Amino acid sequence: MKQSGKGRELSLIIDNLNSEGQGVARSGRDVYFVPGALVGEKVRVRMLERSKKIWQTQLLAIEADEAEARRPADCPHYQRCGGCDLQHMQYDAQVQFKQSRVEREFGRQKVTVDTWAAPLVSEEWHYRRKARLGVRFSKEQQKNFIGFREAASSHLTDIDRCIVLPDHPALNWSEWRRIIGSLESASLITQIEPLWADSALVFILRALKPLSTNDQQVLVKVFEDWQAESDLPLQVWVRTEKHAAPVALWPATPADIWHEVDGLKLRIQADDFIQVNRSINQSMVAQALEWLEPAQDEQIWDLFAGHGNFSMPLAKRCKHVIAVEGQQAMTDSLQAQAEKLALSLQTKCADLSASGTLESLTEPDAVLLDPPRAGADTVMSELIRRRVGRILYVSCDPATLARDLAQLLPAGYEVIKAGIMDMFPQTHHVETMVLLKYRGK
């Protein structure tokens, strides 16, 4: 049961950070979460609401003992915009927090790591090559708002520029507000998705109805003007049905979209998932290959293969790679891409959240898996049964990773090494890589 405490103020001393990087304080039996606070600080907060003895609060002021790790946020929209939550923390401290967060989750599941690799880090700004911004039309103000959702809210923070996105004239959101405001369909556009691929800067506009001919002409003229100032080719696509593929608006026949991984140009669709941090992804793939040490004649599974971020580099080195993915369109694309690159790759479409889907595959010498946040709970029983020589697990959620590792260790697997990768600077999110070997019970 939630209890309102809105309006009350009190002073607290922060003694820890939770998994989302929020300050944690304790008083009596209650725990207080304070976004924006750092360890050791005495803070003034306003009470918001309570659930299960945990109070959500709003930081009002640092009263004393400001942390050395604190810094002014570079973004004027910070603390309203829900896109970033750690800009108040020095970058080195962000990385240390993420390392501690992963170690804490491992400790809860009694997962021991003797060897930690140095964290993979890169530029902390202008790194994000894919995003989804909301667009909302206000009837009262007769204007559009463009930005990311506020934390724990459906409201949009109206932004001009986002400093974790690349710097480019077409990524000026105040200009986008002017452009959309000039359209007949100003109230019908609900999202803008930029993708900075290696071959093009691509935009997908989500519209509730098809755009008029006049609006299409306006957008084409805008992109032609931007293209005249841009060395990188531009594309704009429109999606009018939620689950339908976007349709190219300009150019009418766009060139292939691709990004480079391990020297390979991997073709992607405008709306495909890709790792948002190009530099860290390059380092992550290189580290995965170094740790897994694939041999030419080995059989290797790549589970949750996506568009081949790991499968294709593995297939450069190994004759027998099986890429398993849950969408038939994705596996078809993987197969076609492998053939175009003259790589030996077998694909399988399978729901990896269902049991028994891997039983028909031949015995692997090694397995690489990169599941979504939910982890790979169902896959663990198959890996335990198979007694795979080497497993490389790449995870975007430390809690589900620790849960899955806790199943493998009693079954004879040993963690050889692990390391974090800062794919998302300025946020609490963290990627982790773990190498395991089967030692027997």
Side-chain angles (χ1 to χ4, degrees):
M1 178 178 177
K2 293 182 179 179
Q3 303 174 23
S4 176
K6 192 170 184 178
R8 283 181 54 200
E9 295 184 12
L10 76 162
S11 295
L12 298 168
I13 295 177
I14 305 300
D15 61 27
N16 206 342
L17 298 178
N18 65 15
S19 294
E20 296 183 356
Q22 299 173 346
V24 179
R26 293 166 175 80
S27 179
R29 295 183 177 182
D30 286 334
V31 176
Y32 301 83
F33 287 171
V34 188
L38 297 175
V39 174
E41 294 179 334
K42 183 180 180 182
V43 297
R44 189 75 177 171
V45 304
R46 177 177 290 122
M47 315 281 284
L48 298 179
E49 64 176 17
R50 180 183 186 229
S51 178
K52 298 181 180 178
K53 297 184 179 179
I54 296 177
W55 283 95
Q56 303 296 329
T57 72
Q58 177 188 5
L59 177 63
L60 299 177
I62 312 296
E63 294 187 323
D65 302 320
E66 180 176 301
E68 290 185 7
R70 178 171 294 283
R71 68 176 180 184
D74 282 16
C75 176
H77 310 293
Y78 185 61
Q79 293 187 330
R80 286 196 62 202
C81 175
C84 296
D85 47 24
L86 295 183
Q87 281 196 29
H88 61 283
M89 190 185 298
Q90 297 281 358
Y91 184 58
D92 288 350
Q94 292 183 33
V95 176
Q96 291 169 11
F97 155 70
K98 295 177 186 187
Q99 177 76 40
S100 298
R101 179 188 171 197
V102 173
E103 292 181 12
R104 182 168 58 197
E105 293 292 353
F106 281 16
R108 287 170 177 165
Q109 295 286 355
K110 297 180 171 56
V111 174
T112 301
V113 178
D114 291 331
T115 302
W116 282 97
L120 297 183
V121 297
S122 185
E123 296 297 324
E124 59 172 312
W125 304 110
H126 304 297
Y127 68 85
R128 191 178 182 101
R129 59 180 173 175
K130 187 176 177 66
R132 178 181 295 162
L133 291 89
V135 181
R136 182 176 65 82
F137 181 74
S138 170
K139 290 183 179 179
E140 293 180 359
Q141 301 181 48
Q142 287 295 298
K143 62 170 287 189
N144 285 95
F145 292 82
I146 299 177
F148 297 103
R149 284 188 171 85
E150 296 178 7
S153 171
S154 61
H155 296 295
L156 292 180
T157 299
D158 207 25
I159 67 174
D160 295 331
R161 286 190 180 272
C162 175
I163 57 177
V164 299
L165 291 174
D167 192 17
H168 190 279
L171 295 171
N172 181 334
W173 306 113
S174 60
E175 181 65 9
W176 269 101
R177 273 193 295 277
R178 184 195 66 77
I179 294 164
I180 293 176
S182 71
L183 301 179
E184 297 167 359
S185 308
S187 63
L188 300 179
I189 295 177
T190 60
Q191 289 178 348
I192 306 172
E193 296 183 46
L195 164 64
W196 189 291
D198 288 344
S199 60
L201 173 54
V202 183
F203 291 84
I204 301 177
L205 305 184
R206 171 79 168 95
L208 299 178
K209 294 180 181 179
L211 302 181
S212 67
T213 300
N214 184 61
D215 282 353
Q216 292 182 36
Q217 291 173 347
V218 169
L219 288 169
V220 167
K221 179 63 168 61
V222 165
F223 272 82
E224 286 176 342
D225 291 345
W226 275 336
Q227 186 63 79
E229 302 175 5
S230 175
D231 294 331
L232 187 68
L234 303 179
Q235 299 180 16
V236 59
W237 300 61
V238 179
R239 188 203 306 272
T240 55
E241 298 291 337
K242 187 173 183 180
H243 299 295
V247 176
L249 174 60
W250 183 88
T253 308
D256 285 350
I257 305 168
W258 53 265
H259 74 118
E260 187 172 315
V261 179
D262 190 41
L264 300 168
K265 293 181 179 179
L266 301 188
R267 184 175 181 272
I268 55 176
Q269 301 300 317
D271 57 346
D272 276 353
F273 167 83
I274 65 169
Q275 296 288 1
V276 301
N277 191 319
R278 183 185 189 278
S279 177
I280 293 297
N281 186 59
Q282 297 278 7
S283 299
M284 177 177 72
V285 171
Q287 180 171 279
L289 294 168
E290 178 187 343
W291 288 15
L292 196 60
E293 297 180 298
Q296 189 175 26
D297 293 326
E298 286 187 313
Q299 176 99 246
I300 299 182
W301 295 357
D302 179 17
L303 307 183
F304 308 94
H307 68 274
N309 193 49
F310 291 108
S311 304
M312 301 301 172
L314 285 170
K316 276 178 64 175
R317 296 159 173 80
C318 185
K319 295 179 180 178
H320 311 288
V321 177
I322 302 176
V324 184
E325 175 54 45
Q327 300 179 32
Q328 187 63 54
M330 190 68 80
T331 54
D332 291 345
S333 175
L334 271 169
Q335 193 67 60
Q337 182 147 241
E339 292 172 3
K340 184 177 180 180
L341 294 170
L343 296 175
S344 177
L345 181 74
Q346 177 184 342
T347 60
K348 177 180 176 63
C349 183
D351 179 3
L352 290 171
S353 66
S355 59
T357 56
L358 299 173
E359 289 180 356
S360 64
L361 298 185
T362 54
E363 294 293 327
D365 297 292
V367 171
L368 188 152
L369 65 158
D370 183 11
R373 292 189 193 282
D377 186 36
T378 309
V379 173
M380 293 302 105
S381 59
E382 187 70 18
L383 298 182
I384 290 169
R385 184 178 74 83
R386 297 273 189 163
R387 299 178 179 179
V388 182
R390 308 187 308 286
I391 296 174
L392 191 84
Y393 195 138
V394 178
S395 168
C396 58
D397 188 290
T400 56
L401 170 61
R403 177 204 66 198
D404 292 348
L405 294 178
Q407 297 182 58
L408 295 175
L409 299 187
Y413 287 95
E414 176 187 356
V415 173
I416 303 303
K417 53 187 168 183
I420 69 165
M421 301 159 286
D422 195 18
M423 189 73 71
F424 307 94
Q426 316 310 327
T427 80
H428 68 274
H429 299 293
V430 60
E431 298 266 337
T432 311
M433 183 181 294
V434 180
L435 175 66
L436 303 101
K437 290 186 178 181
Y438 185 75
R439 301 299 197 192
K441 293 184 180 180

